[in-house]
Amino acid sequence: MSASFHFSSRYGHPTLGLSTHQPDLSVVVPIYNEVENLPHLLEAIATALEHSGITYEILCVDDGSKDGSAELLKQLSSHHSHLRTVLLRRNYGQTAAMAAGFNYAQGRIIVTLDGDLQNDPLDIPLLVAKLNEGYDLVSGWRKDRKDATLTRLLPSKIANLLIARVTGVQLHDYGCSLKAYRSELVSDMNLYGELHRFLPALAFIEGARITEVPVRHHARRFGHSKYGLGRTLRVLADLLTIYFMKRFLTRPMHVFGLWGFVSILLGLGLAGYLAFLKIGLGESIGDRPLLILAVVLLITGIQLFSFGLLAELLMRTYHESQNRPIYRVREVVEPSTPDTP
Ligand code: UDP
Ligand code: MG
């Protein structure tokens, strides 16, 4: 297999240094307990790219597997010159594993896919070709998806509709891991939570050109899915975050400050009216509910206003400190073989 590789394996550096031999493509695969799938996966990717003329690396991110996937990856990398492995210290979740992959990938194009062979590597050249038509992000669409209907397909359908509605990006299938990105795009985006499925939305905010292509999907042959119904809830929570980020993140003062200001104005108006009754007309105002309302409005207004100011400060810090990674790498395994003959 490796005999057909026509390009030096020395582009890989243990650190994130600039490489002179940048491959065209990095295939980023998050791996959590996929030991049985790994050999098939590597072979399928190599077969798919062998005659494509695309230079590539396969970047596997082991997300704290407990079934020996990490050990197998290390072994495999000794005779697989395209394979680079990043081992995370513990299980951080698929999003963090993908973020690590994005950081260590060296290709001009990054393709992500699942390590369980549910995505078909044969689709990779298709996505790359589409990307080369001038897109920044090409998302796979599992038109004929092979997962359980009630626990997976139905919640996913609803989630997809909601996400499209809230984010304004019109895709059929946000959950499909098989996606292709221009690497500059990826380096601008920060990931956490279950946010990897919102990458198209985040990319959209960055002004990316986005499209989708139908891709194959297979049922899992080895191992089992790491997710159940619980993920849908977390995805919905993340959707709220995205909604919030889209609307308020950059200018919290516009929301909180504005309402605080309105509340203060109303409170002042009422207080003025009550003061006129008391001082001007000599009426007693001590037992009037209106007095309580005026006081509540004033206090709430001042609170909201100061909250808006604080949020504004926080957001500044947030935006300035975005370089903090959400994972800690234990080790990076590079191909140890010299150039393949
Ligand atoms: N995965 C991961 N960390 C996790 C859970 C999953 O890296 O904590 C990887 C997993 O190995 C697979 C991909 O994410 O390559 C998708 O996971 P899975 O197949 O379980 O999800 P599903 O296809 O059922 O949505
Ligand atoms: Mg899967």
Side-chain angles (χ1 to χ4, degrees):
M1 190 193 314
S2 50
S4 63
F5 297 155
H6 43 269
F7 118 74
S8 162
S9 63
R10 290 215 193 89
Y11 57 77
H13 293 293
T15 55
L16 267 175
L18 275 182
S19 125
T20 41
H21 296 283
Q22 188 182 31
D24 299 330
L25 173 68
S26 293
V27 182
V28 168
V29 195
I31 300 289
Y32 181 53
N33 296 345
E34 308 283 4
V35 72
E36 284 166 292
N37 287 308
L38 279 175
H40 303 285
L41 176 78
L42 296 183
E43 197 175 313
I45 296 176
T47 311
L49 293 172
E50 220 165 18
H51 303 296
S52 62
I54 304 172
T55 56
Y56 68 98
E57 62 174 4
I58 304 173
L59 185 64
C60 286
V61 182
D62 178 74
D63 188 17
S65 298
K66 295 168 190 74
D67 68 344
S69 295
E71 290 69 24
L72 182 62
L73 277 169
K74 280 186 175 183
Q75 261 179 41
L76 288 170
S77 61
S78 64
H79 52 265
H80 207 301
S81 62
H82 284 211
L83 177 63
R84 297 172 69 218
T85 303
V86 174
L87 306 176
L88 300 189
R89 281 197 188 147
R90 63 166 172 84
N91 180 240
Y92 287 92
Q94 191 181 346
T95 301
M98 286 176 64
F102 287 153
N103 268 356
Y104 280 83
Q106 297 181 325
R108 275 181 283 271
I109 293 175
I110 298 177
V111 165
T112 54
L113 75 154
D114 282 349
D116 58 0
L117 289 166
Q118 288 202 268
N119 301 129
D120 198 323
L122 285 177
D123 287 321
I124 296 177
L126 221 83
L127 263 73
V128 172
K130 192 77 189 170
L131 200 77
N132 285 337
E133 281 177 23
Y135 291 98
D136 300 305
L137 194 167
V138 180
S139 179
W141 169 17
R142 297 164 293 179
K143 232 175 168 170
D144 182 20
R145 196 173 153 187
K146 303 283 191 302
D147 278 317
T149 311
L150 207 62
T151 51
R152 303 300 298 276
L153 298 192
L154 193 69
S156 141
K157 186 135 201 142
I158 298 169
N160 280 325
L161 283 176
L162 272 176
I163 295 174
R165 193 61 197 270
V166 168
T167 62
V169 192
Q170 298 303 324
L171 295 180
H172 287 92
D173 186 7
Y174 291 85
C176 182
S177 304
L178 184 56
K179 290 191 171 78
Y181 311 85
R182 231 167 260 290
S183 62
E184 316 87 82
L185 178 69
V186 163
S187 52
D188 289 343
M189 291 184 292
N190 272 297
L191 289 179
Y192 55 89
E194 299 270 318
L195 284 191
H196 67 269
R197 73 188 51 242
F198 296 106
L199 270 169
L202 296 175
F204 187 64
I205 296 175
E206 306 281 340
R209 280 158 301 178
I210 301 167
T211 189
E212 64 184 354
V213 287
V215 294
R216 286 161 266 225
H217 193 244
H218 308 292
R220 227 181 212 278
R221 280 197 297 160
F222 308 107
H224 45 80
S225 172
K226 278 85 197 173
Y227 302 105
L229 258 180
R231 173 164 63 178
T232 315
L233 293 179
R234 287 201 298 277
V235 166
L236 288 182
D238 276 340
L239 185 61
L240 279 178
T241 313
I242 289 278
Y243 181 68
F244 178 83
M245 277 168 63
K246 224 180 115 195
R247 298 222 25 204
F248 312 134
L249 191 59
T250 42
R251 301 324 308 262
M253 198 56 189
H254 287 192
V255 182
F256 298 107
L258 187 73
W259 285 109
F261 197 60
V262 169
S263 183
I264 290 174
L265 276 186
L266 280 175
L268 280 180
L270 284 181
Y273 170 65
L274 289 170
F276 168 72
L277 290 186
K278 172 81 182 168
I279 300 164
L281 307 179
E283 285 180 23
S284 148
I285 58 167
D287 55 349
R288 299 199 54 165
L290 214 54
L291 181 64
I292 298 174
L293 184 62
V295 172
V296 168
L297 280 174
L298 276 173
I299 295 177
T300 318
I302 294 168
Q303 293 273 5
L304 275 175
F305 201 78
S306 14
F307 187 78
L309 277 177
L310 277 179
E312 193 81 16
L313 278 181
L314 264 179
M315 282 313 141
R316 255 160 231 213
T317 329
Y318 169 81
H319 284 293
E320 280 160 21
S321 62
Q322 290 224 346
N323 291 327
R324 186 184 175 280
I326 53 171
Y327 59 86
R328 295 286 176 267
V329 170
R330 170 172 292 153
E331 193 182 338
V332 180
V333 185
E334 305 284 0
S336 56
T337 46
D339 285 359
T340 42

